[in-house]
Amino acid sequence: MTSKAPSNPFRQAEYTLAAHHLHQLPPDTGWEVAIAGRSNAGKSSALNVLTGQKSLARTSKTPGRTQQIVIFRVDDDRRIADLPGYGYAKVPQDLTAHWQQVMQDYFETRESLRGVVLVMDIRHPMKPFDQMMLEWCAATGLPCHVLMTKADKLKRGPAQSALLGVRKILPEGASAQVFSSKSRVGLDQWLAVMRDWYGYPDLDGSGGRSGAD
């Protein structure tokens, strides 16, 4: 294990592989955190900000086209799993069914999975896909942290109102915060959650996970 880590160890993340089936994933050991979100929710942009890399997770004007689990290596024991996005992507029904089953199996069987970051557009939260992901997390006992992105698109009052509305309906073990890839509002809070889930030492002694604004 790493006893000391930089304030943002995710800056060293690097692409490893893209898997279409669970058996193609790396060995089920260590720490893995999944990033999930509907197409166009800002998932790729958020990952790029977290890692300080402009194109680690590719962004596209035609979102949701890559229907694969993309693995990024943080170190020998830690990985980020970028899950397929849904929403605007026009994909065949059989492919959608395939991925729904793969995702369900992933949540139920992946022992190294320590938590799920669920990315939602703060202007359009809690769509059916988001509710399904929260249900899977609740059913498997996985902590879920909701990243309400594009907070720069709203004034502070409406943004806080949207945040409180989501928090009221979150299942046990889930938390939420506002975030903006553009202004980097909320980055430190998200980073603290990620460090906590990956077992990195706390930087300030205040505890990694919180639901603070």
Side-chain angles (χ1 to χ4, degrees), residues 6-213:
S7 58
N8 186 351
F10 308 104
R11 288 183 176 275
Q12 63 195 19
E14 57 185 14
Y15 172 84
T16 299
L17 57 83
H20 193 69
H21 299 278
L22 295 187
H23 67 79
Q24 298 170 327
L25 293 174
D28 193 6
T29 60
W31 292 265
E32 192 164 286
V33 171
I35 313 294
R38 295 178 66 249
S39 298
N40 214 31
K43 180 162 59 76
S44 295
S45 295
L47 268 172
N48 289 337
V49 169
L50 176 71
T51 60
Q53 302 182 42
K54 292 183 178 181
S55 58
L56 180 71
R58 290 177 295 178
T59 57
S60 171
K61 291 184 179 180
T62 309
R65 293 179 65 181
T66 303
Q67 301 298 310
Q68 296 174 309
I69 301 174
V70 180
I71 299 294
F72 301 105
R73 176 188 180 276
V74 178
D75 60 33
D76 288 344
D77 299 313
R78 297 171 175 90
R79 301 172 300 278
I80 296 172
D82 184 7
L83 304 184
Y86 286 103
Y88 296 104
K90 294 181 179 179
V91 296
Q93 187 173 357
D94 57 347
L95 183 58
T96 299
H98 162 78
W99 273 110
Q100 184 165 341
Q101 186 61 55
V102 169
M103 288 297 94
Q104 185 171 347
D105 292 344
Y106 174 76
F107 276 74
E108 292 177 351
T109 66
R110 191 72 173 169
E111 295 185 359
S112 57
L113 185 58
R114 302 304 173 95
V116 177
V117 176
L118 180 54
V119 179
M120 299 183 194
D121 186 329
I122 195 169
R123 301 166 299 176
H124 313 289
M126 298 304 296
K127 296 295 185 180
F129 171 85
D130 303 322
Q131 295 170 359
M132 179 179 69
M133 298 299 288
L134 284 167
E135 289 171 3
W136 282 348
C137 288
T140 54
L142 279 169
C144 180
H145 187 67
V146 176
L147 206 64
M148 300 185 70
T149 60
K150 306 187 182 183
D152 56 281
K153 303 290 186 180
L154 297 179
K155 292 184 177 179
R156 179 173 173 80
Q160 291 301 306
S161 178
L163 174 64
L164 292 174
V166 166
R167 282 181 176 169
K168 286 180 181 178
I169 58 177
L170 288 179
E172 184 177 355
S175 55
Q177 68 163 100
V178 298
F179 181 81
S180 169
S181 296
K182 184 176 181 179
S183 68
R184 286 166 170 68
V185 165
L187 177 58
D188 288 345
Q189 183 185 346
W190 182 25
L191 181 58
V193 172
M194 294 288 279
R195 288 182 61 93
D196 181 31
W197 284 355
Y198 280 103
Y200 286 117
D202 189 11
L203 292 175
D204 58 11
S206 64
R209 192 178 309 163
S210 75
D213 299 346

